[in-house]
Structure formats: C-alpha cells, structure tokens
Amino acid sequence: MLLEWLGKSHPIIYGQVQNDELIVEVAGQWDHADKTLRNLGLPYTHIKPRDLTSQSLAAAKVVIINCAGDLKREKLQLLRDFVARGGYLLTTDWALDNTVTNTFPGFITW
C-alpha cells in the first residue's frame, strides 16, 4: 500500500526506491523509524545526529528525525536548506517541537 502510494504521488522517489541513500533516518532516544522502514522493505541509511551533514543529505529525498529531535543549531540549518531544495522532512513525537519548530520558526508551532 505504501509503495503504491509512493509510486503514484512521488514517481521520482519510487523509481529510485532501491537506493538506500534516498531515505536518511536520524537516530533518536525513544522512537525507531528504522523498524518501520525495515518492515516496509524500504532501504534507508541510519545515522546519528552528529553525522547529519550536507554530504549525508546529498542524495536524500526524505529525512526522518526520531524523537526527541534534539539537534544543534547548525544541524537545523542543514535541514532547512534540505527542505528548501525540495526534500521531505518527517519527524516523530517531540521532534515536532525540538526540530521542526526550531528549524522553521514562525511557520509551525508546538
């Protein structure tokens, strides 16, 4: 079902779904999106917050930030730039406040 939706709504991503660099999952303290990605059969790259760099995002189309989403200011700017270039940012739980609100102040609030 997810792959069907992905194919219809985002054919560019779907056509490249075999590439594990397209989805970057950033480790958190409580949530584990990697389990869901694995169960769905979607390839991904798992990194630690400190390893979030412009290089790790170079081929990415989707970045997933797990709860709690505590990232340093320079990492938030990387995410802002990534989204400005057309990337998708998905966060879980408290990362909505800790990551999204701080990355896009005035646009999304807790």
Side-chain angles (χ1 to χ4, degrees), residues 3-105:
L3 291 178
E4 183 178 318
W5 169 82
L6 192 60
K8 286 180 181 176
S9 59
H10 304 288
I12 293 171
I13 294 174
Y14 179 75
Q16 301 172 352
V17 78
Q18 297 81 10
N19 182 347
D20 65 355
E21 294 179 335
L22 290 180
I23 301 174
V24 174
E25 186 247 357
V26 181
Q29 292 175 285
W30 296 288
D31 291 342
H32 302 279
D34 56 320
K35 291 180 182 180
T36 302
L37 294 168
R38 192 170 32 260
N39 287 337
L40 291 170
L42 295 173
Y44 64 94
T45 298
H46 175 87
I47 63 173
K48 295 181 179 180
R50 69 175 176 258
D51 298 326
L52 186 64
T53 63
S54 57
Q55 184 177 5
S56 67
L57 298 178
K61 300 290 185 192
V62 178
V63 174
I64 302 171
I65 307 291
N66 285 296
C67 181
D70 291 322
L71 299 172
K72 294 182 185 279
R73 181 178 300 266
E74 65 270 9
K75 306 299 181 180
L76 298 177
Q77 185 61 51
L78 286 172
L79 291 175
R80 187 178 178 95
D81 295 343
F82 169 76
V83 171
R85 289 190 310 270
Y88 292 90
L89 175 62
L90 186 145
T91 63
T92 66
D93 203 13
W94 292 354
L96 174 61
D97 187 34
N98 295 334
T99 300
V100 178
T101 299
N102 291 322
T103 303
F104 304 100

